[in-house]
Amino acid sequence: MFWESVLIALEGLKTNKLRSALTMLGIIIGVGAVIAMVSVGLGVQQKVQTSIAGLGSNLLIVMPGANSPSGGVRLAAGSNITLTKQDAQAIAREISGINYVAPSVSQQFQIIYGNQNWKSSVQGTTQEFLQIRNFAVASGAFFSNSDENARARVAVLGQTVATSLFGGASPLGQTIRIGKAPFRVIGVLESKGQSSMGQDQDDIVLIPLSTAQDRLIGQAYLNSISIQVENDKVMDKVQADITTLLRTRHHLSSNVENDFSVRNLTALMTTMQETTGTITLFLGAVAAISLVVGGIGIMNIMLVSVTERTREIGIRKALGATYKNILMQFIIEAIAIGVTGGLIGITLGVASARVISLVAGWNTVVSGAAILASFGVSVIIGLFFGIYPARKAALLDPIEALRYE
């Protein structure tokens, strides 16, 4: 009886093709929209995660200035000169659970080669910067400790700077001017692309810290200290230890707030993931409203079908069809609409995600869980909104049904 009811349901759908298609339309759009919107949300989440991870794993960044209530950095008068190279050396020497420490200074400069020029961020740092920030050298070499000690005028270019100044030619061994100072290019970094905030991570020039402080920028203080912690389990302890150490070194009493801030990028990644996850759920929930609308459409058409087939139901009952037989037939028809609409919607949703990725350039991630969930919901909606029309059909009196005109 079950398979016979399935065949009857499918035959009914084929008999009224246009009406069946219109009935499925809400389910198709709903399932497709859920898959497409969740794919966009997951794509954003993945891009944010990749971008933050690209800054470095288990990363702490110490910056001058106190934390503001809004989560940024508030610079009091003179507080931007509180971090020194000695602070970075003390952190590396006295704090346990740390892999690398890289002090940095940075400033925007006009970079000139021949008749080409490009404005970029010039960052003075140490060798540890590569390991901490997950940079790699694509060609040439990074500056050495001897370059740092000698305050050598050597530079390593990001891909954007190298392309802007040299086009397709190799910059290795060439002399560029940073501001008015000549520097010899000894290496080019591998491309890292844009960050989650849209910043070009390849638009950078790296030079030795001592060279930047003494021969280019002329400042003794640091703009930041990047720290790679051994693992995420000790992040909070290391952050607290750094805070205690710097407060002691800066002679801050207990009633004075920090003149520096320690940012935990692991915590930032967790917060961003939670935020983008919420956005993804919101997009999916908005799209799922179409599924409910599709379910109402199923119930509406099924009620019309019951009215049209009243005499058929009466004849079936007169020939011995039971309440359960009639109920099963109409419920299976409703589920068949949900299943068919769900399968078409899945195809539409996956295709839409691919089109969004190609046309808009957005990163999309098609989720198997979203596909299964939306398909399951389409089946449940077909069942739920098909129960009332099915019960109405099953409860018809056979004599009254046969009299129906």
Side-chain angles (χ1 to χ4, degrees):
M1 288 298 296
F2 174 79
W3 290 112
E4 183 180 343
S5 298
V6 171
L7 293 174
I8 292 173
L10 294 177
E11 188 64 32
L13 293 178
K14 287 196 300 184
T15 302
N16 300 282
K17 294 183 180 66
L18 181 59
R19 187 170 71 181
S20 299
L22 293 174
T23 306
M24 294 176 193
L25 193 58
I27 298 295
I28 293 170
I29 293 173
V31 171
V34 168
I35 293 172
M37 291 299 97
V38 170
S39 297
V40 171
L42 290 176
V44 172
Q45 188 172 0
Q46 185 187 70
K47 185 174 182 180
V48 169
Q49 182 177 351
T50 302
S51 297
I52 295 178
L55 295 176
S57 57
N58 301 327
L59 180 63
L60 295 175
I61 298 179
V62 184
M63 301 187 70
N67 283 321
S68 72
S70 62
V73 174
R74 182 176 65 251
L75 293 176
S79 64
N80 61 330
I81 60 173
T82 57
L83 293 179
T84 65
K85 186 188 294 186
Q86 289 71 32
D87 286 333
Q89 292 169 346
I91 291 172
R93 183 177 61 250
E94 300 180 28
I95 304 297
S96 60
I98 289 176
N99 288 333
Y100 303 104
V101 176
S104 300
V105 296
S106 63
Q107 190 171 313
Q108 291 282 327
F109 280 94
Q110 202 74 22
I111 317 298
I112 302 170
Y113 174 74
N115 61 353
Q116 301 295 321
N117 69 86
W118 184 261
K119 191 171 185 178
S120 181
S121 173
V122 177
Q123 187 156 340
T125 187
T126 60
Q127 280 189 311
E128 289 76 14
F129 183 84
L130 285 182
Q131 287 79 15
I132 293 175
R133 302 298 289 269
N134 290 339
F135 273 100
V137 177
S139 60
F142 203 68
F143 46 80
S144 62
N145 287 330
S146 60
D147 293 325
E148 168 71 22
N149 295 332
R151 297 182 299 169
R153 294 181 185 271
V154 293
V156 179
L157 308 182
Q159 288 284 349
T160 299
V161 180
T163 302
S164 300
L165 294 180
F166 295 92
S170 172
L172 298 180
Q174 301 298 323
T175 299
I176 61 174
R177 280 189 295 136
I178 302 178
K180 296 181 180 180
F183 280 78
R184 180 169 55 90
V185 179
I186 61 171
V188 178
L189 298 171
E190 286 186 357
S191 177
K192 291 192 71 174
Q194 288 190 343
S195 68
S196 58
M197 308 303 291
Q199 181 182 4
D200 185 0
Q201 299 180 85
D202 300 320
D203 191 4
I204 189 172
V205 177
L206 300 179
I207 63 176
L209 177 64
S210 59
T211 307
Q213 287 187 308
D214 301 335
R215 307 185 72 174
L216 184 65
I217 301 175
Q219 68 178 46
Y221 57 89
L222 303 175
N223 296 119
S224 67
I225 303 173
S226 299
I227 301 160
Q228 187 186 76
V229 181
E230 288 180 354
N231 57 70
D232 56 1
K233 296 179 181 178
V234 297
M235 287 285 286
D236 293 338
K237 180 180 182 303
V238 171
Q239 185 173 357
D241 290 345
I242 291 171
T243 302
T244 302
L245 174 64
L246 292 181
R247 285 188 62 85
T248 301
R249 288 185 55 82
H250 295 181
H251 307 291
L252 301 176
S253 58
S254 58
N255 61 340
V256 177
E257 67 178 1
N258 297 335
D259 58 2
F260 60 90
S261 61
V262 185
R263 296 184 177 183
N264 185 336
L265 289 199
T266 301
L268 175 62
M269 180 184 291
T270 301
T271 302
M272 292 294 288
Q273 286 178 330
E274 291 175 352
T275 302
T276 52
T278 302
I279 293 172
T280 302
L281 288 176
F282 175 74
L283 290 174
V286 170
I289 294 174
S290 301
L291 284 171
V292 178
V293 175
I296 295 172
I298 290 176
M299 183 169 66
N300 183 44
I301 294 300
M302 291 298 296
L303 286 172
V304 172
S305 179
V306 170
T307 302
E308 289 180 346
R309 296 160 63 183
T310 299
R311 289 185 63 81
E312 174 196 329
I313 295 168
I315 293 171
R316 285 172 59 86
K317 283 196 169 187
L319 295 176
T322 65
Y323 171 88
K324 289 184 178 181
N325 296 147
I326 303 298
L327 187 71
M328 181 185 298
Q329 177 186 341
F330 280 87
I331 286 179
I332 288 175
E333 287 187 19
I335 292 176
I337 293 173
V339 169
T340 308
L343 292 174
I344 298 173
I346 289 172
T347 304
L348 177 65
V350 173
S352 299
R354 301 298 186 205
V355 170
I356 291 171
S357 181
L358 291 173
V359 175
W362 296 353
N363 187 39
T364 57
V365 177
V366 177
S367 168
I371 291 175
L372 290 175
S374 56
F375 179 70
V377 170
S378 69
V379 175
I380 291 171
I381 281 179
L383 172 63
F384 179 78
F385 284 94
I387 287 177
Y388 176 72
R391 288 188 72 251
K392 185 176 180 180
L395 290 172
L396 281 175
D397 180 76
I399 303 300
E400 292 298 322
L402 287 171
R403 290 175 179 171
Y404 179 79
E405 292 296 337

